[in-house]
Amino acid sequence: MDARNAASSPLSAGGLARTPEDSAMLRAAVELTRDLGTARAAIYWPDFLASAFAGYAGLAVAILADQRWAVVLGGVIAALALYRAVGFIHELTHIRKGALPGFRLAWNLMVGIPLLVPSFMYEGVHTQHHAKTRYGTADDPEYLPLALMKPWSLPLFIIAAMLAPLALIFRFAVLTPLSVIIPPLRRIVVERYSALSINPAYRRRAPEGDFARMWAWQEAGASLWAITLVASIFLLGWRPLLTGMVIFACVAVVNQLRTLVAHLWENEGEPMTVTGQFLDSVNVPPPAPLAALWAPVGLRYHALHHLLPSMPYHSLGETHRRLVAHLGDGSTYGKASYGGMAPLVAKIARSTMRAG
């Protein structure tokens, strides 16, 4: 079967949960890529800094320009570039300690705090999504059986992303300071509103040790910035804040669509093998022309990422080429490759129609 047509004949949810391990694929994934696992600062830093610079330059044009075409152009550039810059939060959760000195601090100061998505919201959460005993279960913060839910679940999933900028401002400008003086509220904020997750039943544990200290300064910085953003209305008017919120809402919606096609979302809560997790995940390799825009920083290789979570984003393309050459398109590995976003969204939509 052509791997790019796999979306039309998915494995059943139960079949995925019971998928035996493909030892040849797992062994090849490790043995063929030993030389690719080092994060290269010469790639990370320029990519991140250029993305952040282009994003804020586009944002400035969108805020300051008088011509409508310039506002739209600046907004599009800002959305795409800041989306890529935000995408490095995924790398932060997997980079080996000490591999990129200063990168986490720089990312939080330049992107995480200004866009109100400091890395503590994702670090310590995303790794649970990769845990073999958690993936696809009720304890997975980043999984819902979306393909098996009601038809209205997909529009609601996207609408929630559109409201993300407003929710984040409220979380940091209002809930953070209030929770400092109201201990019961603090517990609720930590458990329910301190994770970039999609599972509403997920409850986060209070941080400890060094991570608690990192959490504290990031949250304090985000809170001060959120309050500043609200106060800016009285000094600068509504346009700067509204423009930024619209652009970030666009970023959030594109990311939500990308999340929607990152997996098949067909597991009903059973623990899965690594191979089952892989087949429930999605690669969109070249030549898909737009995947680099809607799934930047290696996210187009999401299934491969579940095989090798610590592989740096800049090595995923070569890793994919080696595995395809060694295993072949007709192998288990090839079955996780799809041609683009549209057929995957359509497949999930059809599945919800049957479920409804």
Side-chain angles (χ1 to χ4, degrees):
M1 177 178 63
D2 185 343
R4 293 184 178 276
N5 293 326
S8 62
S9 54
L11 293 170
S12 68
L16 282 175
R18 294 188 294 270
T19 301
E21 296 289 18
D22 186 330
S23 57
M25 178 182 70
L26 300 181
R27 183 168 57 251
V30 174
E31 294 179 351
L32 296 177
T33 61
R34 296 186 190 279
D35 60 321
L36 300 176
T38 301
R40 297 172 60 185
I43 295 178
Y44 272 82
W45 281 102
D47 191 348
F48 161 62
L49 292 174
S51 298
F53 176 80
Y56 289 128
L59 176 60
V61 170
I63 291 173
L64 299 174
D66 294 323
Q67 300 88 351
R68 183 173 299 178
W69 67 266
V71 172
V72 172
L73 179 61
V76 170
I77 292 173
L80 291 175
L82 289 176
Y83 179 39
R84 184 173 185 86
V86 169
F88 281 93
I89 194 174
H90 183 252
E91 292 295 299
L92 290 179
T93 67
H94 294 289
I95 293 174
R96 295 182 178 88
K97 187 175 182 180
L100 294 172
F103 192 81
R104 176 175 284 99
L105 175 63
W107 185 89
N108 275 290
L109 292 178
M110 295 181 65
V111 174
I113 289 174
L115 297 184
L116 301 180
V117 285
S119 65
F120 81 82
M121 300 276 284
Y122 203 55
E123 294 187 85
V125 175
H126 179 64
T127 50
Q128 295 178 38
H129 175 57
H130 284 273
K132 183 177 179 179
T133 57
R134 282 180 178 255
Y135 176 89
T137 71
D139 295 322
D140 185 343
E142 296 182 27
Y143 199 96
L144 287 173
L146 292 169
L148 308 177
M149 297 174 73
K150 300 296 183 181
W152 51 260
S153 62
L154 297 189
L156 183 62
F157 193 66
I158 303 305
I159 292 171
M162 295 174 62
L163 298 176
L166 185 62
L168 288 169
I169 288 176
F170 182 77
R171 190 266 186 240
F172 287 108
V174 178
L175 294 183
T176 292
L178 283 179
S179 69
V180 171
I181 58 177
I182 307 175
L185 177 61
R186 183 63 189 167
R187 183 173 62 254
I188 294 172
V189 168
V190 169
E191 289 182 352
R192 303 187 184 186
Y193 308 119
S194 296
L196 298 177
S197 63
I198 65 171
N199 182 354
Y202 177 69
R203 298 293 181 266
R204 191 169 192 183
R205 293 181 179 179
E208 299 177 348
D210 291 340
F211 187 69
R213 288 184 284 274
M214 185 183 76
W215 177 321
W217 76 258
Q218 289 180 15
E219 185 170 12
S223 181
L224 289 173
W225 179 246
I227 293 170
T228 300
L229 288 176
V230 175
S232 72
I233 297 170
F234 301 99
L235 296 175
L236 304 174
W238 282 95
R239 180 175 175 179
L241 180 58
L242 284 180
T243 301
M245 290 178 67
V246 169
I247 289 172
F248 191 65
C250 292
V251 170
V253 167
V254 174
N255 183 64
Q256 200 80 324
L257 286 169
R258 194 272 314 165
T259 300
L260 185 63
V261 300
H263 297 287
L264 301 184
W265 308 108
E266 295 177 343
N267 192 50
E268 297 182 90
E270 299 177 64
M272 303 172 73
T273 63
V274 174
T275 302
Q277 294 177 28
F278 172 80
L279 290 173
D280 190 43
S281 305
V282 170
N283 287 332
V284 186
L290 298 179
L293 295 179
W294 59 261
V297 196
L299 291 172
R300 68 188 303 168
Y301 297 106
H302 198 75
L304 175 54
H305 172 65
H306 273 266
L307 282 185
L308 298 167
S310 297
M311 184 63 66
Y313 79 99
H314 55 69
S315 295
L316 290 173
E318 176 61 22
T319 298
H320 175 78
R321 287 187 288 271
R322 291 184 186 184
L323 290 175
V324 168
H326 181 76
L327 298 169
D329 280 333
S331 65
T332 300
Y333 182 79
K335 293 177 182 177
S337 289
Y338 298 83
M341 178 186 286
L344 287 162
V345 172
K347 183 184 100 54
I348 293 176
R350 287 194 301 270
S351 181
T352 61
M353 294 296 180
R354 290 193 295 270

